Amino acid sequence: MKDSYVPRSITDLYTEKITWNESHEPLFFILNPEVPAWAFINSDSMDILNLCDGHNSIENIADSISKKHGISKTDSTTIVKQFLERLVRNRVLSKHAKETKPENVFSCLALEITKRCNLRCRHCYLSAGEPYQKELTLEEIQALFNAAKNAGAQSTSIGGGEPLLRDDFFAVIDSAVSCGLMVSIGTNGTLIDQDISQKLAEYQLKIQISLDGATAKTHDKLRGKGAFAQAVKGLDILLSQGLGKDIVIAFTSTKLNLEEIPDIIQFGMERGIPVIQFPPLAFSGRAKANWGELKLSSEETIEFWNIVSEKAAELKGRMDLLADCFSMNISRSGVKSRCTIGTQIRVDPAGNVFPCQCFHNGRKYSLGNIRKSNFEEIVSGQKLMNIKQECFERINLIEACRQCPWRNFCGSGCMGSAYEATGTSLRPNACEARKQWIQGLFKIEVDKIMSTCAE
């Protein structure tokens, strides 16, 4: 770094003074919200940063620091250069060239092959039960798989409703496999018997079993009497076929099952299940009708995330836990939170197409219907491009987000969830909980520093 270089601090740099006690000098938390990148610095470093006004050269700054602290100009210059190089390297101090944003490329087809279901779950976003009058035929599904593959799909997730209720279920699987797609299926598990498990074992696929409680009392309150016993029986039959490595448990957190999250994790550990995911509750279908009874408050959401994150750290290398809180990562300097919208396209049982699995109804974010439009043209079409662009620009369009220093760790939350719950995408989703969560992550970093200094 040349002495003639004139450093300039970011004009909207967020700073916060952290006071410990009388025996320790204060720390300063500095954050470049746009990148986002951050650092903790001491008072001496803050003196240097305050001199980075775009007018002082490194030589001028070093001279000021030398006089203030009574050190040699040589030592002062070395200290200033090292400090500025550190902040430039982690992108706190100066903005780099214009960011090149990766494009969200379509890679997965999320296909619901029927609305028919043997359960009437209180939190079902599809209000599954009776099938649509005109659901996609096998021939239409086969054509869709071919089109999806041609459009760039590498995989497909097949669900419902309850997909096993389709008489041609295995013909659907055969069609997806023959197209070269990796396949995962989502089922409530209640219909899995020895015959079905043996047929599933013939394929290389992932099987997601929905369990919304670690006990019959809780699970059945959400899904219906006897559902837990049937689902666990189906799961155990799959395990007896040696499919444990391919099973994922899906647990949707609600007010009714929050206390059983540690138990469902233990349940999975005991059975050797490698992954438990926690899909968010969607404001749609029967869940919408039962929203007040089911939706977690901000405090409950934080409790949920704390449980999952602590367990994830404890079980690292033995079980993967997937939840929304892990999308807010402060450890990757310069990496913004970015929605995956458009990478996984949802097609419902009637052929309606949506930009991701978080959009369920309405025309505004519908991409059309595969019976009326070419799927490959839908994926490459202008409407999807516009929706993705809207998603990426939300943090600059929502006033509360523009003013929030945590915006690029958060990304304003899920656009689909915000739209379905409020009628507009221009509101942040779960704002209070996400803000508290990110602040909590930084508090952990402060506690680490304090703990190290106290030793």
Side-chain angles (χ1 to χ4, degrees), residues 75-119:
D75 288 345
S76 175
T77 300
T78 299
I79 291 169
V80 169
K81 283 185 176 181
Q82 289 177 345
F83 171 70
L84 295 180
E85 285 171 354
R86 172 195 165 199
L87 293 195
V88 169
R89 188 167 56 249
N90 70 11
R91 303 182 66 181
V92 170
L93 182 61
S94 62
K95 292 180 179 177
H96 285 202
K98 186 177 180 181
E99 178 188 12
T100 301
K101 296 181 179 179
E103 182 183 354
N104 282 14
V105 178
F106 169 63
S107 62
C108 179
L109 171 69
L111 174 62
E112 296 153 6
I113 60 175
T114 184
K115 185 172 175 281
R116 185 183 176 193
C117 190
N118 58 319
L119 302 181

Side-chain angles (χ1 to χ4, degrees), residues 3-7 51 53 55-67 73 76-77 80:
D3 291 359
S4 58
Y5 168 70
V6 180
L51 291 169
D53 59 1
H55 300 289
N56 290 316
S57 66
I58 288 179
E59 184 177 2
N60 296 146
I61 295 171
D63 188 54
S64 296
I65 296 301
S66 172
K67 291 175 181 178
K73 182 69 176 292
S76 175
T77 300
V80 169

Side-chain angles (χ1 to χ4, degrees), residues 324-394:
D324 189 33
C325 56
F326 298 120
S327 68
M328 295 173 281
N329 190 336
I330 67 170
S331 65
R332 297 175 298 178
S333 181
V335 179
K336 297 182 180 182
S337 174
R338 185 175 175 87
C339 178
T340 59
I341 188 168
T343 60
Q344 185 180 68
I345 302 294
R346 173 181 176 245
V347 178
D348 75 10
N352 299 306
V353 186
F354 295 90
C356 72
Q357 287 186 295
C358 296
F359 289 94
H360 306 104
N361 302 289
R363 292 185 178 181
K364 183 172 183 180
Y365 295 102
S366 171
L367 300 175
N369 188 287
I370 63 168
R371 286 171 169 152
K372 299 178 180 178
S373 304
N374 180 282
F375 183 77
E376 294 176 61
E377 293 177 357
I378 289 175
V379 170
S380 62
Q382 188 62 47
K383 185 168 186 179
L384 179 57
M385 293 177 62
N386 292 343
I387 291 171
K388 289 194 288 187
Q389 190 63 33
E390 177 187 344
C391 180
F392 303 148
E393 293 179 355
R394 284 176 68 234

Side-chain angles (χ1 to χ4, degrees), residues 394-408:
R394 284 176 68 234
I395 61 169
N396 299 316
L397 300 175
I398 301 172
E399 183 176 359
C401 296
R402 286 200 305 269
Q403 299 173 354
C404 179
W406 320 117
R407 58 187 177 271
N408 277 310

Side-chain angles (χ1 to χ4, degrees), residues 269-281:
M269 284 295 297
E270 291 172 353
R271 285 166 169 77
I273 305 300
V275 180
I276 298 180
Q277 65 178 28
F278 297 87
L281 186 70

Side-chain angles (χ1 to χ4, degrees), residues 27-226:
L27 268 182
F28 291 87
F29 170 67
I30 55 175
L31 166 69
N32 178 352
E34 284 305 311
V35 174
W38 55 274
F40 289 102
I41 63 175
N42 60 22
S43 299
D44 293 342
S45 297
M46 196 66 190
D47 288 342
I48 298 174
L49 188 62
N50 286 332
L51 291 169
C52 297
D53 59 1
H55 300 289
N56 290 316
S57 66
I58 288 179
E59 184 177 2
N60 296 146
I61 295 171
D63 188 54
S64 296
I65 296 301
S66 172
K67 291 175 181 178
K68 181 173 181 177
H69 294 280
I71 59 177
S72 70
K73 182 69 176 292
T74 300
D75 288 345
S76 175
T77 300
T78 299
I79 291 169
V80 169
K81 283 185 176 181
Q82 289 177 345
F83 171 70
L84 295 180
E85 285 171 354
R86 172 195 165 199
L87 293 195
V88 169
R89 188 167 56 249
N90 70 11
R91 303 182 66 181
V92 170
L93 182 61
S94 62
K95 292 180 179 177
H96 285 202
K98 186 177 180 181
E99 178 188 12
T100 301
K101 296 181 179 179
E103 182 183 354
N104 282 14
V105 178
F106 169 63
S107 62
C108 179
L109 171 69
L111 174 62
E112 296 153 6
I113 60 175
T114 184
K115 185 172 175 281
R116 185 183 176 193
C117 190
N118 58 319
L119 302 181
R120 300 294 185 272
C121 302
R122 295 162 75 177
H123 57 315
C124 179
Y125 68 83
L126 198 59
S127 291
E130 297 302 317
Y132 286 130
Q133 187 174 7
K134 292 184 179 180
E135 296 190 335
L136 295 176
T137 65
L138 177 60
E139 291 73 22
E140 288 172 322
I141 290 172
Q142 290 170 333
L144 176 59
F145 285 144
N146 283 316
K149 183 67 176 178
N150 291 336
Q154 301 298 312
S155 63
T156 181
S157 62
I158 297 172
E162 175 46 59
L164 290 172
L165 284 172
R166 274 192 67 135
D167 294 336
D168 56 4
F169 171 75
F170 285 101
V172 170
I173 300 297
D174 286 333
S175 178
V177 171
S178 68
C179 286
L181 296 171
M182 293 182 289
V183 179
S184 63
I185 64 169
T187 171
N188 60 41
T190 62
L191 302 179
I192 295 174
D193 56 20
Q194 200 68 35
D195 181 54
I196 288 175
S197 69
Q198 288 174 354
K199 290 180 180 178
L200 290 173
E202 296 174 5
Y203 301 92
Q204 289 186 331
L205 45 75
K206 297 295 182 182
I207 306 169
Q208 176 185 293
I209 305 289
S210 295
L211 282 176
D212 294 309
T215 63
K217 180 180 178 181
T218 300
H219 181 86
D220 291 0
K221 192 170 184 179
L222 284 160
R223 292 185 171 263
K225 187 176 180 180

